[in-house]
Amino acid sequence: MEKTDVSIFVSSLKKSYKDKEILKDVTFSVPTGTIYALLGSNGAGKTTTIRILTTQIRPDGGTAHIQGFDVAKEPEKVHRVISLTGQFSALDESLTGMENLLIMGRLHHLSAPEKSAVRLLEYFDLSASSSRRVSSWSGGMKRKLDIAMSLVGSPSVLFLDEPTTGLDPQSRLAMWQIVRRLRDGGMTVLLTTQYLEEAEQLADQIGILHRGRILAQGTPSQLKSLLPQGAVRFTFRDQEDLRCAAFLLGKWQTSSHPAECALTVFTDGRADTLRELFRHLREGHISVRKFSELSPSLEDVFLTMIKEEKSYGKNKAKL
Ligand SMILES: Nc1ncnc2c1ncn2[C@@H]1O[C@H](COP(=O)(O)OP(=O)(O)OP(=O)(O)O)[C@@H](O)[C@H]1O
């Protein structure tokens, strides 16, 4: 198999714990030097996928290759080319930033660990705090140092499990900047996230993972083009009107946004169709507070995909 342009190649990955199927069929590939986001809600199977790809657990079925190395058969070779920054920090908070990096450099048998530490502290804009104990650092700084530590062995593939969870908006933007810079330097990055905005802003390609399956994947604009264009959004007075409208307009594909009391309806964009939508709402005595035409957002794609998967699951259960 030719994998020179593909750093991560995953085919039909399966994993169960007892009788619970966590990964049912996960297939995707990540071109070298790009960022791929596995986007999914809590419990979708993101961390389980990362744990398999970083050789911490074995899959029950399917295969995965990193830089051409089989994660199940060649774990040592995989270790040489990857690095992982997980949800739990690997830092020793009683030490300074410099000391943490020096320990990591020695673990990797670097010939000049000091040089590497200084370079990384500069790269991550942490030089000014390098001699302070990490326990006094902010969450954003600790997360940066975590990534710096994972770069000590010069990996070519970086796994980031929810890199910005718990960070304030400013630190999140700084982290995005770092990840983009690493990609621009040629690194392949696989990150997991629950944040739609993060996936859209950062990833070259996104895979929507839901209940152990990739429901759709592609660039953000490819994913958006999966939905019919000509979407419109209605905002209603209250939740009851929203529920009622979703029911009345059920013959169209819709996605509900309860927090904003809004309903997106995917139409063919024709004037006749719009007239029909308004007629249904009028006959249902639902008043529309706001109306706008929009192009589908990634959130619409995500919610629609998940909804379709649910109804597919229900139909399957009936068979
Ligand atoms: N060792 C284990 N034994 C049993 N069940 C597990 C184990 N590890 C994970 N699970 C279950 O597998 C499912 C998927 O977990 P996973 O951590 O992969 O999800 P996730 O998408 O990363 O979610 P989160 O965003 O919450 O981390 C969850 O229901 C979890 O409880």
PDB file of all heavy atoms in Angstrom, residues 31-66:
ATOM      1  N   PRO A  31      -3.907  13.326   5.203  1.00  0.00           N
ATOM      2  CA  PRO A  31      -2.729  13.627   4.381  1.00  0.00           C
ATOM      3  C   PRO A  31      -1.609  14.256   5.224  1.00  0.00           C
ATOM      4  O   PRO A  31      -1.882  14.989   6.182  1.00  0.00           O
ATOM      5  CB  PRO A  31      -3.258  14.637   3.354  1.00  0.00           C
ATOM      6  CG  PRO A  31      -4.748  14.480   3.361  1.00  0.00           C
ATOM      7  CD  PRO A  31      -5.103  14.037   4.756  1.00  0.00           C
ATOM      8  N   THR A  32      -0.383  13.978   4.850  1.00  0.00           N
ATOM      9  CA  THR A  32       0.784  14.516   5.558  1.00  0.00           C
ATOM     10  C   THR A  32       0.759  16.053   5.551  1.00  0.00           C
ATOM     11  O   THR A  32       0.421  16.665   4.545  1.00  0.00           O
ATOM     12  CB  THR A  32       2.065  14.019   4.853  1.00  0.00           C
ATOM     13  OG1 THR A  32       2.021  12.597   4.884  1.00  0.00           O
ATOM     14  CG2 THR A  32       3.323  14.510   5.554  1.00  0.00           C
ATOM     15  N   GLY A  33       1.075  16.628   6.722  1.00  0.00           N
ATOM     16  CA  GLY A  33       1.164  18.088   6.804  1.00  0.00           C
ATOM     17  C   GLY A  33      -0.187  18.779   6.842  1.00  0.00           C
ATOM     18  O   GLY A  33      -0.290  19.945   6.476  1.00  0.00           O
ATOM     19  N   THR A  34      -1.213  18.048   7.304  1.00  0.00           N
ATOM     20  CA  THR A  34      -2.542  18.682   7.417  1.00  0.00           C
ATOM     21  C   THR A  34      -3.109  18.443   8.823  1.00  0.00           C
ATOM     22  O   THR A  34      -2.593  17.615   9.580  1.00  0.00           O
ATOM     23  CB  THR A  34      -3.548  18.120   6.395  1.00  0.00           C
ATOM     24  OG1 THR A  34      -3.799  16.740   6.693  1.00  0.00           O
ATOM     25  CG2 THR A  34      -3.044  18.245   4.974  1.00  0.00           C
ATOM     26  N   ILE A  35      -4.160  19.183   9.131  1.00  0.00           N
ATOM     27  CA  ILE A  35      -4.842  19.042  10.425  1.00  0.00           C
ATOM     28  C   ILE A  35      -6.190  18.351  10.187  1.00  0.00           C
ATOM     29  O   ILE A  35      -6.974  18.804   9.354  1.00  0.00           O
ATOM     30  CB  ILE A  35      -5.106  20.419  11.070  1.00  0.00           C
ATOM     31  CG1 ILE A  35      -3.806  21.191  11.273  1.00  0.00           C
ATOM     32  CG2 ILE A  35      -5.861  20.266  12.389  1.00  0.00           C
ATOM     33  CD1 ILE A  35      -3.995  22.653  11.709  1.00  0.00           C
ATOM     34  N   TYR A  36      -6.406  17.268  10.927  1.00  0.00           N
ATOM     35  CA  TYR A  36      -7.685  16.555  10.834  1.00  0.00           C
ATOM     36  C   TYR A  36      -8.348  16.635  12.201  1.00  0.00           C
ATOM     37  O   TYR A  36      -7.727  16.346  13.222  1.00  0.00           O
ATOM     38  CB  TYR A  36      -7.427  15.093  10.467  1.00  0.00           C
ATOM     39  CG  TYR A  36      -8.681  14.285  10.161  1.00  0.00           C
ATOM     40  CD1 TYR A  36      -9.124  14.112   8.847  1.00  0.00           C
ATOM     41  CD2 TYR A  36      -9.422  13.686  11.175  1.00  0.00           C
ATOM     42  CE1 TYR A  36     -10.266  13.371   8.549  1.00  0.00           C
ATOM     43  CE2 TYR A  36     -10.569  12.952  10.892  1.00  0.00           C
ATOM     44  CZ  TYR A  36     -10.978  12.790   9.574  1.00  0.00           C
ATOM     45  OH  TYR A  36     -12.110  12.055   9.283  1.00  0.00           O
ATOM     46  N   ALA A  37      -9.623  17.058  12.215  1.00  0.00           N
ATOM     47  CA  ALA A  37     -10.344  17.126  13.502  1.00  0.00           C
ATOM     48  C   ALA A  37     -11.386  16.027  13.566  1.00  0.00           C
ATOM     49  O   ALA A  37     -12.214  15.895  12.667  1.00  0.00           O
ATOM     50  CB  ALA A  37     -11.026  18.484  13.638  1.00  0.00           C
ATOM     51  N   LEU A  38     -11.307  15.229  14.625  1.00  0.00           N
ATOM     52  CA  LEU A  38     -12.385  14.275  14.915  1.00  0.00           C
ATOM     53  C   LEU A  38     -13.354  15.022  15.808  1.00  0.00           C
ATOM     54  O   LEU A  38     -13.042  15.341  16.951  1.00  0.00           O
ATOM     55  CB  LEU A  38     -11.828  13.091  15.708  1.00  0.00           C
ATOM     56  CG  LEU A  38     -11.385  11.846  14.959  1.00  0.00           C
ATOM     57  CD1 LEU A  38     -10.949  10.797  15.970  1.00  0.00           C
ATOM     58  CD2 LEU A  38     -12.442  11.291  14.030  1.00  0.00           C
ATOM     59  N   LEU A  39     -14.521  15.324  15.253  1.00  0.00           N
ATOM     60  CA  LEU A  39     -15.497  16.149  15.957  1.00  0.00           C
ATOM     61  C   LEU A  39     -16.606  15.248  16.477  1.00  0.00           C
ATOM     62  O   LEU A  39     -17.184  14.467  15.715  1.00  0.00           O
ATOM     63  CB  LEU A  39     -16.072  17.164  14.957  1.00  0.00           C
ATOM     64  CG  LEU A  39     -17.217  18.041  15.411  1.00  0.00           C
ATOM     65  CD1 LEU A  39     -16.757  19.037  16.461  1.00  0.00           C
ATOM     66  CD2 LEU A  39     -17.788  18.815  14.209  1.00  0.00           C
ATOM     67  N   GLY A  40     -16.886  15.333  17.776  1.00  0.00           N
ATOM     68  CA  GLY A  40     -17.961  14.498  18.312  1.00  0.00           C
ATOM     69  C   GLY A  40     -18.328  14.907  19.715  1.00  0.00           C
ATOM     70  O   GLY A  40     -17.559  15.570  20.408  1.00  0.00           O
ATOM     71  N   SER A  41     -19.531  14.500  20.141  1.00  0.00           N
ATOM     72  CA  SER A  41     -19.999  14.835  21.488  1.00  0.00           C
ATOM     73  C   SER A  41     -19.311  13.937  22.515  1.00  0.00           C
ATOM     74  O   SER A  41     -18.553  13.030  22.145  1.00  0.00           O
ATOM     75  CB  SER A  41     -21.507  14.610  21.586  1.00  0.00           C
ATOM     76  OG  SER A  41     -22.130  14.983  20.413  1.00  0.00           O
ATOM     77  N   ASN A  42     -19.634  14.170  23.786  1.00  0.00           N
ATOM     78  CA  ASN A  42     -19.097  13.312  24.854  1.00  0.00           C
ATOM     79  C   ASN A  42     -19.464  11.858  24.578  1.00  0.00           C
ATOM     80  O   ASN A  42     -20.604  11.564  24.248  1.00  0.00           O
ATOM     81  CB  ASN A  42     -19.730  13.680  26.203  1.00  0.00           C
ATOM     82  CG  ASN A  42     -19.090  14.923  26.770  1.00  0.00           C
ATOM     83  OD1 ASN A  42     -17.925  15.197  26.516  1.00  0.00           O
ATOM     84  ND2 ASN A  42     -19.865  15.678  27.527  1.00  0.00           N
ATOM     85  N   GLY A  43     -18.464  10.990  24.707  1.00  0.00           N
ATOM     86  CA  GLY A  43     -18.748   9.558  24.572  1.00  0.00           C
ATOM     87  C   GLY A  43     -18.828   9.052  23.138  1.00  0.00           C
ATOM     88  O   GLY A  43     -19.146   7.890  22.900  1.00  0.00           O
ATOM     89  N   ALA A  44     -18.515   9.919  22.155  1.00  0.00           N
ATOM     90  CA  ALA A  44     -18.622   9.502  20.743  1.00  0.00           C
ATOM     91  C   ALA A  44     -17.578   8.437  20.374  1.00  0.00           C
ATOM     92  O   ALA A  44     -17.778   7.658  19.448  1.00  0.00           O
ATOM     93  CB  ALA A  44     -18.458  10.719  19.833  1.00  0.00           C
ATOM     94  N   GLY A  45     -16.468   8.420  21.106  1.00  0.00           N
ATOM     95  CA  GLY A  45     -15.406   7.450  20.807  1.00  0.00           C
ATOM     96  C   GLY A  45     -14.105   8.118  20.364  1.00  0.00           C
ATOM     97  O   GLY A  45     -13.191   7.445  19.884  1.00  0.00           O
ATOM     98  N   LYS A  46     -13.980   9.424  20.589  1.00  0.00           N
ATOM     99  CA  LYS A  46     -12.803  10.157  20.121  1.00  0.00           C
ATOM    100  C   LYS A  46     -11.539   9.679  20.839  1.00  0.00           C
ATOM    101  O   LYS A  46     -10.540   9.351  20.207  1.00  0.00           O
ATOM    102  CB  LYS A  46     -12.977  11.678  20.350  1.00  0.00           C
ATOM    103  CG  LYS A  46     -14.207  12.250  19.678  1.00  0.00           C
ATOM    104  CD  LYS A  46     -14.337  13.747  19.896  1.00  0.00           C
ATOM    105  CE  LYS A  46     -14.510  14.185  21.337  1.00  0.00           C
ATOM    106  NZ  LYS A  46     -15.791  13.783  21.950  1.00  0.00           N
ATOM    107  N   THR A  47     -11.602   9.671  22.181  1.00  0.00           N
ATOM    108  CA  THR A  47     -10.407   9.280  22.943  1.00  0.00           C
ATOM    109  C   THR A  47     -10.052   7.819  22.674  1.00  0.00           C
ATOM    110  O   THR A  47      -8.874   7.464  22.574  1.00  0.00           O
ATOM    111  CB  THR A  47     -10.636   9.522  24.455  1.00  0.00           C
ATOM    112  OG1 THR A  47     -10.952  10.901  24.640  1.00  0.00           O
ATOM    113  CG2 THR A  47      -9.406   9.184  25.270  1.00  0.00           C
ATOM    114  N   THR A  48     -11.065   6.982  22.528  1.00  0.00           N
ATOM    115  CA  THR A  48     -10.801   5.560  22.241  1.00  0.00           C
ATOM    116  C   THR A  48     -10.036   5.439  20.918  1.00  0.00           C
ATOM    117  O   THR A  48      -9.064   4.669  20.819  1.00  0.00           O
ATOM    118  CB  THR A  48     -12.134   4.784  22.186  1.00  0.00           C
ATOM    119  OG1 THR A  48     -12.824   4.987  23.412  1.00  0.00           O
ATOM    120  CG2 THR A  48     -11.903   3.298  21.964  1.00  0.00           C
ATOM    121  N   THR A  49     -10.435   6.218  19.913  1.00  0.00           N
ATOM    122  CA  THR A  49      -9.728   6.180  18.621  1.00  0.00           C
ATOM    123  C   THR A  49      -8.274   6.611  18.808  1.00  0.00           C
ATOM    124  O   THR A  49      -7.347   5.948  18.341  1.00  0.00           O
ATOM    125  CB  THR A  49     -10.429   7.125  17.604  1.00  0.00           C
ATOM    126  OG1 THR A  49     -11.799   6.759  17.535  1.00  0.00           O
ATOM    127  CG2 THR A  49      -9.794   7.041  16.233  1.00  0.00           C
ATOM    128  N   ILE A  50      -8.079   7.715  19.538  1.00  0.00           N
ATOM    129  CA  ILE A  50      -6.714   8.202  19.778  1.00  0.00           C
ATOM    130  C   ILE A  50      -5.897   7.157  20.536  1.00  0.00           C
ATOM    131  O   ILE A  50      -4.726   6.930  20.229  1.00  0.00           O
ATOM    132  CB  ILE A  50      -6.753   9.520  20.592  1.00  0.00           C
ATOM    133  CG1 ILE A  50      -7.344  10.635  19.747  1.00  0.00           C
ATOM    134  CG2 ILE A  50      -5.389   9.871  21.147  1.00  0.00           C
ATOM    135  CD1 ILE A  50      -6.452  11.793  19.451  1.00  0.00           C
ATOM    136  N   ARG A  51      -6.516   6.505  21.506  1.00  0.00           N
ATOM    137  CA  ARG A  51      -5.767   5.516  22.306  1.00  0.00           C
ATOM    138  C   ARG A  51      -5.319   4.342  21.436  1.00  0.00           C
ATOM    139  O   ARG A  51      -4.240   3.800  21.634  1.00  0.00           O
ATOM    140  CB  ARG A  51      -6.605   5.051  23.505  1.00  0.00           C
ATOM    141  CG  ARG A  51      -6.818   6.193  24.503  1.00  0.00           C
ATOM    142  CD  ARG A  51      -7.542   5.729  25.740  1.00  0.00           C
ATOM    143  NE  ARG A  51      -6.683   4.920  26.565  1.00  0.00           N
ATOM    144  CZ  ARG A  51      -7.113   3.988  27.417  1.00  0.00           C
ATOM    145  NH1 ARG A  51      -8.416   3.784  27.537  1.00  0.00           N
ATOM    146  NH2 ARG A  51      -6.278   3.289  28.132  1.00  0.00           N
ATOM    147  N   ILE A  52      -6.141   3.972  20.469  1.00  0.00           N
ATOM    148  CA  ILE A  52      -5.734   2.893  19.559  1.00  0.00           C
ATOM    149  C   ILE A  52      -4.589   3.374  18.655  1.00  0.00           C
ATOM    150  O   ILE A  52      -3.576   2.685  18.492  1.00  0.00           O
ATOM    151  CB  ILE A  52      -6.928   2.417  18.697  1.00  0.00           C
ATOM    152  CG1 ILE A  52      -7.961   1.711  19.581  1.00  0.00           C
ATOM    153  CG2 ILE A  52      -6.453   1.483  17.574  1.00  0.00           C
ATOM    154  CD1 ILE A  52      -9.253   1.342  18.877  1.00  0.00           C
ATOM    155  N   LEU A  53      -4.739   4.592  18.118  1.00  0.00           N
ATOM    156  CA  LEU A  53      -3.720   5.089  17.175  1.00  0.00           C
ATOM    157  C   LEU A  53      -2.379   5.344  17.859  1.00  0.00           C
ATOM    158  O   LEU A  53      -1.333   5.324  17.213  1.00  0.00           O
ATOM    159  CB  LEU A  53      -4.212   6.366  16.481  1.00  0.00           C
ATOM    160  CG  LEU A  53      -5.487   6.200  15.650  1.00  0.00           C
ATOM    161  CD1 LEU A  53      -5.842   7.491  14.928  1.00  0.00           C
ATOM    162  CD2 LEU A  53      -5.331   5.077  14.636  1.00  0.00           C
ATOM    163  N   THR A  54      -2.418   5.590  19.165  1.00  0.00           N
ATOM    164  CA  THR A  54      -1.156   5.824  19.876  1.00  0.00           C
ATOM    165  C   THR A  54      -0.708   4.545  20.616  1.00  0.00           C
ATOM    166  O   THR A  54       0.115   4.618  21.522  1.00  0.00           O
ATOM    167  CB  THR A  54      -1.302   6.997  20.872  1.00  0.00           C
ATOM    168  OG1 THR A  54      -2.440   6.760  21.699  1.00  0.00           O
ATOM    169  CG2 THR A  54      -1.491   8.323  20.147  1.00  0.00           C
ATOM    170  N   THR A  55      -1.299   3.428  20.227  1.00  0.00           N
ATOM    171  CA  THR A  55      -0.916   2.073  20.678  1.00  0.00           C
ATOM    172  C   THR A  55      -1.158   1.805  22.171  1.00  0.00           C
ATOM    173  O   THR A  55      -0.591   0.860  22.718  1.00  0.00           O
ATOM    174  CB  THR A  55       0.557   1.717  20.343  1.00  0.00           C
ATOM    175  OG1 THR A  55       1.414   2.333  21.302  1.00  0.00           O
ATOM    176  CG2 THR A  55       0.977   2.145  18.956  1.00  0.00           C
ATOM    177  N   GLN A  56      -1.986   2.616  22.822  1.00  0.00           N
ATOM    178  CA  GLN A  56      -2.258   2.349  24.247  1.00  0.00           C
ATOM    179  C   GLN A  56      -3.219   1.185  24.419  1.00  0.00           C
ATOM    180  O   GLN A  56      -3.176   0.477  25.418  1.00  0.00           O
ATOM    181  CB  GLN A  56      -2.863   3.588  24.902  1.00  0.00           C
ATOM    182  CG  GLN A  56      -1.944   4.790  24.891  1.00  0.00           C
ATOM    183  CD  GLN A  56      -2.696   6.014  25.346  1.00  0.00           C
ATOM    184  OE1 GLN A  56      -3.073   6.140  26.495  1.00  0.00           O
ATOM    185  NE2 GLN A  56      -2.933   6.936  24.443  1.00  0.00           N
ATOM    186  N   ILE A  57      -4.131   1.009  23.478  1.00  0.00           N
ATOM    187  CA  ILE A  57      -5.028  -0.154  23.504  1.00  0.00           C
ATOM    188  C   ILE A  57      -5.083  -0.759  22.106  1.00  0.00           C
ATOM    189  O   ILE A  57      -4.757  -0.086  21.123  1.00  0.00           O
ATOM    190  CB  ILE A  57      -6.471   0.216  23.970  1.00  0.00           C
ATOM    191  CG1 ILE A  57      -7.048   1.356  23.122  1.00  0.00           C
ATOM    192  CG2 ILE A  57      -6.512   0.557  25.439  1.00  0.00           C
ATOM    193  CD1 ILE A  57      -8.514   1.652  23.413  1.00  0.00           C
ATOM    194  N   ARG A  58      -5.497  -2.024  22.029  1.00  0.00           N
ATOM    195  CA  ARG A  58      -5.556  -2.696  20.728  1.00  0.00           C
ATOM    196  C   ARG A  58      -6.990  -2.696  20.202  1.00  0.00           C
ATOM    197  O   ARG A  58      -7.932  -2.839  20.988  1.00  0.00           O
ATOM    198  CB  ARG A  58      -5.074  -4.140  20.876  1.00  0.00           C
ATOM    199  CG  ARG A  58      -3.584  -4.243  21.113  1.00  0.00           C
ATOM    200  CD  ARG A  58      -3.201  -5.681  21.343  1.00  0.00           C
ATOM    201  NE  ARG A  58      -3.248  -6.461  20.111  1.00  0.00           N
ATOM    202  CZ  ARG A  58      -2.210  -6.630  19.296  1.00  0.00           C
ATOM    203  NH1 ARG A  58      -1.046  -6.084  19.589  1.00  0.00           N
ATOM    204  NH2 ARG A  58      -2.320  -7.351  18.201  1.00  0.00           N
ATOM    205  N   PRO A  59      -7.144  -2.554  18.896  1.00  0.00           N
ATOM    206  CA  PRO A  59      -8.500  -2.629  18.342  1.00  0.00           C
ATOM    207  C   PRO A  59      -8.979  -4.084  18.300  1.00  0.00           C
ATOM    208  O   PRO A  59      -8.163  -4.993  18.320  1.00  0.00           O
ATOM    209  CB  PRO A  59      -8.314  -2.081  16.929  1.00  0.00           C
ATOM    210  CG  PRO A  59      -6.900  -2.370  16.578  1.00  0.00           C
ATOM    211  CD  PRO A  59      -6.126  -2.329  17.864  1.00  0.00           C
ATOM    212  N   ASP A  60     -10.291  -4.274  18.240  1.00  0.00           N
ATOM    213  CA  ASP A  60     -10.831  -5.635  18.072  1.00  0.00           C
ATOM    214  C   ASP A  60     -10.894  -6.002  16.591  1.00  0.00           C
ATOM    215  O   ASP A  60     -10.974  -7.171  16.233  1.00  0.00           O
ATOM    216  CB  ASP A  60     -12.252  -5.730  18.652  1.00  0.00           C
ATOM    217  CG  ASP A  60     -12.265  -5.438  20.141  1.00  0.00           C
ATOM    218  OD1 ASP A  60     -11.239  -5.702  20.791  1.00  0.00           O
ATOM    219  OD2 ASP A  60     -13.288  -4.936  20.637  1.00  0.00           O
ATOM    220  N   GLY A  61     -10.919  -4.976  15.743  1.00  0.00           N
ATOM    221  CA  GLY A  61     -10.989  -5.235  14.299  1.00  0.00           C
ATOM    222  C   GLY A  61     -10.511  -4.018  13.555  1.00  0.00           C
ATOM    223  O   GLY A  61     -10.378  -2.941  14.115  1.00  0.00           O
ATOM    224  N   GLY A  62     -10.230  -4.204  12.259  1.00  0.00           N
ATOM    225  CA  GLY A  62      -9.773  -3.102  11.431  1.00  0.00           C
ATOM    226  C   GLY A  62      -8.274  -2.890  11.561  1.00  0.00           C
ATOM    227  O   GLY A  62      -7.600  -3.610  12.322  1.00  0.00           O
ATOM    228  N   THR A  63      -7.758  -1.912  10.811  1.00  0.00           N
ATOM    229  CA  THR A  63      -6.317  -1.647  10.848  1.00  0.00           C
ATOM    230  C   THR A  63      -6.065  -0.142  10.929  1.00  0.00           C
ATOM    231  O   THR A  63      -6.923   0.660  10.566  1.00  0.00           O
ATOM    232  CB  THR A  63      -5.611  -2.149   9.563  1.00  0.00           C
ATOM    233  OG1 THR A  63      -6.277  -1.561   8.446  1.00  0.00           O
ATOM    234  CG2 THR A  63      -5.614  -3.654   9.451  1.00  0.00           C
ATOM    235  N   ALA A  64      -4.878   0.187  11.418  1.00  0.00           N
ATOM    236  CA  ALA A  64      -4.473   1.597  11.438  1.00  0.00           C
ATOM    237  C   ALA A  64      -2.972   1.672  11.202  1.00  0.00           C
ATOM    238  O   ALA A  64      -2.205   0.878  11.783  1.00  0.00           O
ATOM    239  CB  ALA A  64      -4.833   2.224  12.780  1.00  0.00           C
ATOM    240  N   HIS A  65      -2.573   2.586  10.331  1.00  0.00           N
ATOM    241  CA  HIS A  65      -1.147   2.792  10.043  1.00  0.00           C
ATOM    242  C   HIS A  65      -0.792   4.254  10.293  1.00  0.00           C
ATOM    243  O   HIS A  65      -1.536   5.148   9.911  1.00  0.00           O
ATOM    244  CB  HIS A  65      -0.840   2.471   8.576  1.00  0.00           C
ATOM    245  CG  HIS A  65      -0.938   1.014   8.257  1.00  0.00           C
ATOM    246  ND1 HIS A  65      -2.134   0.393   8.009  1.00  0.00           N
ATOM    247  CD2 HIS A  65       0.021   0.054   8.170  1.00  0.00           C
ATOM    248  CE1 HIS A  65      -1.913  -0.885   7.774  1.00  0.00           C
ATOM    249  NE2 HIS A  65      -0.613  -1.127   7.864  1.00  0.00           N
ATOM    250  N   ILE A  66       0.368   4.446  10.944  1.00  0.00           N
ATOM    251  CA  ILE A  66       0.893   5.798  11.124  1.00  0.00           C
ATOM    252  C   ILE A  66       2.226   5.848  10.386  1.00  0.00           C
ATOM    253  O   ILE A  66       3.116   5.045  10.689  1.00  0.00           O
ATOM    254  CB  ILE A  66       1.135   6.142  12.623  1.00  0.00           C
ATOM    255  CG1 ILE A  66      -0.058   5.769  13.491  1.00  0.00           C
ATOM    256  CG2 ILE A  66       1.538   7.604  12.780  1.00  0.00           C
ATOM    257  CD1 ILE A  66      -1.280   6.613  13.345  1.00  0.00           C
TER     258      ILE A  66
END
